[in-house]
Amino acid sequence: MPDIKNPKRRTLLRASLTSALLASAGWPPASRPVSVQSDSTHTPFAPELEVELRAKKDQLAIWPGSATHVWRYDGKVTQGDAGALVFLSDGYVPVLRVRRGQKVRIDFINELPEPTIIHWHGLLMPAAMDGHPRNAISPGQHFRYEFEVQNRAGTYWFHAHPDGRTGAQIYFGQAGFLIVGDEEEAALKLPEGAYDVPLMIQDRKVNGDNQFAYLSQPAGGMMGRGGMMKSAMMGNGGMGDMMAQMMGFLGDQILVNGRPDFVLPVATRAYRLRLLNASNARIYKLAWNDGSPLTVIGTDGGLVETPLLRRYVTLAPAERIDVWADFSHQPPGTKMTLESREFAGDVAMGGMMGNTELPMGARFPVLNVRVTQHSDASNILPMHLGRVPAVRPQEAVNFSRPRVFSITMGMMTWGIDGRRFEMDSVTASETVRRETTEIWEFRNEASMMLMAHSMHVHGVQFRVLKRSVATEFSSARDSVAGGYVDEGWKDTVLIVPGERIRLLIRFGGYTGTFLYHCHMLEHEDSGLMRNYLIRA
Ligand code: C2O
Ligand code: CU
């Protein structure tokens, strides 16, 4: 008898479960009343799109020879537009497309051998739907998500978020795209269908038998909350794992949508490339090999106001960038490479510690584009993209005293202001009021080991107000800072050693505990994550 775990509605659901689930061995009919609103109005939730998603073990042919064991998502639309969920690369990459204002129900089934939960990265969600590790479900259990899409159009994503095992589960394949559309964007007639291409970039370490190799002692086991020194002293995983856990795990094979040596065949026309860095810890400095600039049209939270030209774009773990790529002047036969360029060792420190043959900050190809077909499509890049309001820091209730969070390391474990993640703990300095605007400042200067971090705040989209860097780190920062895209809406930002960043954050109407953390997943899993509370 499966168990639907969703604290808000467990009682209500349980009553109808026996008959509905046992009778149909499937999902209860859509008409069944379920109360879901976070504001406890008890209006029945009438989903316009219903999806069944499973986390499951599978094997995929990625390299010639043995199939690779993965933990992937599988699923289907059970009501609504059947094309809303597609899978790329034989199932490795799910792409779920929703619309702003749409009511979505997702029935999630855990067929993995350990607890898991899905987080909808970048989406504005009630706390109970946000995929907090406390809501992780055991093997065989179900979780019903119900939400109305609040976000503007953009490239969001979803991934596993269990306690201490996020790094391992994403590494083995628990990640997908969540693409939101809306009317503002549709009116621009940007490239769509085959010309709107989600590209998920990841690095993997692969053993001789084509299997993904991760930390030998899983994060969250001996190496989780106990700290890295403890596990090293106990002989679990050894020194290499300890360093990988502390610095972040890097692979030496670059996969795009789960494929090595990825080639995108294109026609002579414009494309929208949605680039997602779903790597555990690697930062990319993306540039076209022929030196032409990248044309950025969107960031984490959707379209920017006007196209931005960048010589390169720095993409930290969990960040997204939408790029306009016009191949109409390239003759068929042309090959182009999107590569990752060199950047400074101080930023890249993780790679210097010897846990990979492809150090962070090295130059390598990410993907190839090959012009294979002629097309007469005329695609004109709109000069006005999204409406992005001006940043108004004076709206912040703490305008004169920003809330400061320092990344720290004590006893060889990461933390924020000296505190590590604890499932339920949240302090007064981590408590905000709903529907207020605040300035938050993250500082990357206090820890005894300085390296780059990718800071993410759940439940919000924010704006970047300003950055500053200590002079001794300015040249290292300059090796990546030309690729920051701080315009537009963000939910994840890179801060390099010695750097401070100020964010303007508007908290929405949903109350409860949400997470803020580093998205370098080994940092997150070993404690660089905290709850914050939105109270009424
Ligand atoms: Cu994509 Cu808590 O994160
Ligand atoms: Cu970090």
Side-chain angles (χ1 to χ4, degrees):
M1 173 68 216
D3 177 27
I4 291 192
K5 188 175 169 204
N6 185 329
K8 290 217 142 175
R9 284 162 297 117
R10 181 182 272 163
T11 335
L12 182 58
L13 284 175
R14 199 177 290 279
S16 54
L17 261 178
T18 314
S19 50
L21 281 179
L22 288 184
S24 65
W27 287 96
S31 54
R32 222 164 39 78
V34 172
S35 92
V36 69
Q37 306 302 64
S38 65
D39 56 10
S40 71
T41 52
H42 298 285
T43 31
F45 185 83
E48 297 152 88
L49 179 69
E50 292 187 60
V51 172
E52 186 182 296
L53 262 189
R54 303 168 180 271
K56 70 173 198 189
K57 291 170 120 175
D58 204 351
Q59 297 187 32
L60 296 176
I62 299 178
W63 290 273
S66 305
T68 305
H69 292 267
V70 296
W71 287 7
R72 71 174 186 95
Y73 291 116
D74 196 3
K76 58 176 188 286
V77 172
T78 53
Q79 191 207 292
D81 172 15
L85 178 64
V86 300
F87 290 85
L88 311 177
S89 303
D90 298 329
Y92 186 77
V93 184
V95 180
L96 178 60
R97 287 181 187 262
V98 299
R99 281 180 292 102
R100 184 177 202 173
Q102 195 174 32
K103 292 197 173 78
V104 180
R105 170 182 289 162
I106 295 168
D107 282 312
F108 175 53
I109 304 132
N110 179 11
E111 294 175 358
L112 298 179
E114 62 181 44
T116 192
I117 193 72
I118 296 177
H119 167 55
W120 316 97
H121 184 119
L123 261 69
L124 313 175
M125 287 271 172
M129 298 290 141
D130 193 51
H132 191 285
R134 78 161 68 87
N135 295 128
I137 53 171
S138 301
Q141 283 190 315
H142 300 171
F143 189 101
R144 171 166 287 182
Y145 293 92
E146 285 173 332
F147 55 88
E148 184 174 326
V149 179
Q150 314 262 313
N151 291 65
R152 62 200 290 265
T155 306
Y156 305 89
W157 63 301
F158 62 98
H159 59 77
H161 214 308
D163 186 27
R165 290 284 289 165
T166 298
Q169 291 190 5
I170 293 179
Y171 190 85
F172 288 102
Q174 296 280 290
F177 281 93
L178 181 53
I179 293 178
V180 177
D182 66 12
E183 280 161 24
E184 182 193 24
E185 189 186 83
L188 294 170
K189 305 244 177 296
L190 295 172
E192 37 174 45
Y195 312 109
D196 171 359
V197 187
L199 295 164
M200 183 168 87
I201 306 169
Q202 299 177 309
D203 58 335
R204 293 290 179 264
K205 197 176 275 190
V206 183
N207 73 16
D209 195 33
N210 290 346
Q211 302 308 312
F212 292 162
Y214 192 56
L215 302 169
S216 54
Q217 186 68 32
M222 297 306 285
M223 301 204 42
R225 298 289 120 65
M228 291 161 254
M229 283 315 278
K230 180 178 138 209
S231 57
M233 288 183 304
M234 293 173 70
N236 294 304
M239 202 64 185
D241 273 8
M242 190 189 89
M243 291 314 293
Q245 177 83 15
M246 191 157 44
M247 315 300 283
F249 190 87
L250 299 175
D252 46 29
Q253 302 251 357
I254 303 301
L255 302 184
V256 174
N257 292 346
R259 298 278 183 235
D261 307 312
F262 186 90
V263 179
L264 179 70
V266 298
T268 53
R269 52 159 293 150
Y271 282 73
R272 176 183 192 166
L273 307 180
R274 300 177 186 257
L275 300 165
L276 157 66
N277 181 357
S279 306
N280 281 37
R282 185 178 291 276
I283 300 162
Y284 299 84
K285 181 172 169 178
L286 300 170
W288 291 115
N289 68 311
D290 67 356
S292 54
L294 284 160
T295 305
V296 175
I297 58 171
T299 53
D300 300 342
L303 294 174
V304 290
E305 253 187 323
T306 182
L308 306 166
L309 292 184
R310 289 287 193 277
R311 277 192 307 117
Y312 65 90
V313 166
T314 306
L315 207 62
E319 286 187 304
R320 290 87 67 204
I321 203 85
D322 280 24
V323 167
W324 173 275
D326 186 353
F327 304 107
S328 57
H329 301 295
Q330 314 278 1
T334 307
K335 193 187 142 195
M336 286 174 77
T337 302
L338 187 68
E339 59 184 15
S340 188
R341 295 267 171 90
E342 283 106 347
F343 53 90
D346 300 61
V347 174
M349 211 167 134
M352 293 166 61
M353 304 302 289
N355 72 16
T356 175
E357 283 162 35
L358 188 65
M360 189 138 72
R363 183 173 185 160
F364 54 85
V366 173
L367 64 88
N368 296 300
V369 172
R370 194 162 290 138
V371 182
T372 55
Q373 276 184 61
H374 186 76
S375 161
D376 288 322
S378 84
N379 289 99
I380 297 172
L381 172 61
M383 282 302 119
H384 295 285
L385 294 163
R387 272 190 305 275
V388 179
V391 175
R392 299 175 53 82
Q394 57 283 0
E395 283 172 5
V397 293
N398 64 345
F399 177 63
S400 52
R401 264 189 67 213
R403 211 181 272 268
V404 173
F405 297 100
S406 286
I407 293 162
T408 51
M409 171 175 274
M411 296 304 288
M412 307 297 277
T413 64
W414 295 108
I416 298 171
D417 291 331
R419 298 185 189 94
R420 307 167 64 197
F421 177 67
E422 293 167 278
M423 192 67 90
D424 299 306
S425 107
V426 60
T427 65
S429 61
E430 296 168 314
T431 302
V432 302
R433 287 192 47 194
R434 84 164 164 206
E435 285 162 349
T436 57
T437 300
E438 291 205 4
I439 300 174
W440 282 20
E441 179 171 304
F442 288 113
R443 294 184 181 172
N444 186 9
E445 58 194 24
S447 117
M448 57 179 252
M449 185 171 73
L450 288 176
M451 59 174 298
H453 299 282
S454 186
M455 299 307 293
H456 169 48
V457 185
H458 284 216
V460 292
Q461 287 287 327
F462 53 71
R463 306 292 296 279
V464 176
L465 288 179
K466 70 169 193 178
R467 297 173 180 261
S468 58
V469 70
T471 37
E472 68 263 42
F473 290 105
S474 61
S475 71
R477 189 187 74 156
D478 288 349
S479 75
V480 292
Y484 290 161
V485 187
D486 288 341
E487 296 89 343
W489 293 101
K490 297 282 293 167
D491 54 54
T492 309
V493 281
L494 175 66
I495 41 171
V496 300
E499 198 169 31
R500 295 180 176 185
I501 188 167
R502 278 197 182 177
L503 309 175
L504 187 68
I505 308 181
R506 171 81 188 169
F507 300 97
Y510 296 126
T511 56
T513 33
F514 295 87
L515 297 163
Y516 67 109
H517 61 89
C518 177
H519 222 288
M520 294 192 167
L521 302 176
E522 292 72 33
H523 300 179
E524 169 183 343
D525 280 341
S526 61
L528 213 174
M529 173 160 76
R530 291 285 302 169
N531 287 310
Y532 77 95
L533 174 68
I534 303 182
R535 63 179 179 83

